[in-house]
Amino acid sequence: MPVNASLAVGLALSGGSVRGIAHIGVIKALEDSGIAPAVIVGTSVGSLIGAGVASGMSWRELKRMAEAVFWPSLLHGGRLERFCRQYFPPSFADLRLPFAAVATDVRWKRTVVLRTGPLAPAISASCAMRVVRRAVPLDGERLKDGGITCVLPTLECRSLGAEFVIGSDVWEFGAFFRDLGLPHSHRHARRVYPSHYLKSVHGADVLVQPNIPMQAYVPGGVSVEKLIAAGERAAHQALSQ
């Protein structure tokens, strides 16, 4: 489906830990194609990259941000919030574009879409990985990684006003099953993928799923380059179809 310039384009960025740097390559491809998202929603690492886009950062600025930090250090909640305060505005209200970060209420196992208030704790909650991080108390709720209930927030993006949704999917488990020959379109997909993921991928008008090499997992500038290149290739391919 071609991107209609008259429609409000939404960009949904999935979780996927360090693989999320590939989102920057997707953003580069969109910039090269003259596509400017009007709405952005991110889950986990997608909320980090999404906040940068909503702040007005170009793909080059996002790349410099990615190169300036040792990404495993952001698994610590305090360091992550300091990182957010360094690079992003203090609150959602200060962003240039409508943006939401997706988290999970651990008590009720429900998706929480964060759109108001301070930005750093919202992103911290969205990125609070299971086992690795404690829940983040926010607005009377205990929140953890949005990927628990909504790893690719295409439907949430549409609910915020997007009329055409581009989903950037770097979720590691989805890539694992695709490598085994079980894409989300497979007749047995319901047996291996969570229902929220299947609804999300089918909710995208354009779905970008980068093929990320194992070498990209090694922290460093070369890995950043490889991840961005993978995202850019996949985005141009998806947009050209």
Side-chain angles (χ1 to χ4, degrees):
M1 181 183 291
V3 182
N4 188 328
S6 67
L7 299 178
V9 176
L11 179 60
L13 303 175
S14 79
S17 190
V18 70
R19 294 167 59 93
I21 297 174
H23 290 318
I24 300 172
V26 175
I27 293 157
K28 180 181 186 298
L30 296 182
E31 289 186 19
D32 292 344
S33 302
I35 300 170
V39 179
I40 303 158
V41 183
T43 292
S44 196
V45 68
S47 71
L48 267 174
I49 303 299
V53 179
S55 300
M57 297 173 72
S58 68
W59 78 267
R60 288 184 178 85
E61 291 172 308
L62 291 168
K63 178 176 182 284
R64 286 195 291 270
M65 179 185 77
E67 291 171 334
V69 64
F70 179 65
W71 280 75
S73 70
L74 299 185
L75 294 174
H76 183 276
R79 283 192 288 269
L80 174 60
E81 292 200 23
R82 288 192 292 274
F83 175 87
C84 292
R85 294 189 184 101
Q86 176 183 353
Y87 285 98
F88 308 139
S91 72
F92 283 87
D94 298 311
L95 296 170
R96 296 187 184 181
L97 294 173
F99 167 70
V102 174
T104 299
D105 182 319
V106 295
R107 181 180 181 187
W108 302 108
K109 292 295 187 289
R110 67 179 181 87
T111 300
V112 177
V113 180
L114 302 168
R115 298 182 57 194
T116 60
L119 196 56
I123 294 174
S124 179
S126 183
C127 295
M129 295 173 62
R130 283 183 281 197
V131 181
V132 177
R133 290 269 313 277
R134 294 180 180 178
V136 176
L138 193 63
D139 296 332
E141 297 174 308
R142 295 178 63 250
L143 305 178
K144 293 202 78 169
D145 193 337
I148 298 170
T149 57
C150 177
V151 73
L152 178 64
T154 56
L155 303 182
E156 288 70 20
C157 200
R158 204 175 295 278
S159 71
L160 263 64
E163 299 169 295
F164 187 98
V165 177
I166 298 171
S168 180
D169 174 19
V170 298
W171 189 41
E172 58 270 39
F173 291 105
F176 173 76
F177 286 124
R178 288 196 302 275
D179 288 344
L180 292 178
L182 284 168
H184 67 271
S185 57
H186 195 278
R187 61 193 180 96
H188 294 310
R190 293 182 183 275
R191 297 182 182 179
V192 295
Y193 292 103
S195 60
H196 67 79
Y197 177 75
L198 293 176
K199 290 177 183 177
S200 295
V201 293
H202 289 298
D205 296 297
V206 171
L207 181 64
V208 182
Q209 293 178 312
N211 183 18
I212 295 172
M214 288 299 295
Q215 308 95 288
Y217 285 87
V218 180
V222 174
S223 296
V224 170
E225 295 277 0
K226 289 181 180 297
L227 285 161
I228 292 175
E232 183 182 7
R233 281 194 303 271
H236 278 304
Q237 181 179 3
L239 291 169
S240 69
Q241 290 176 350

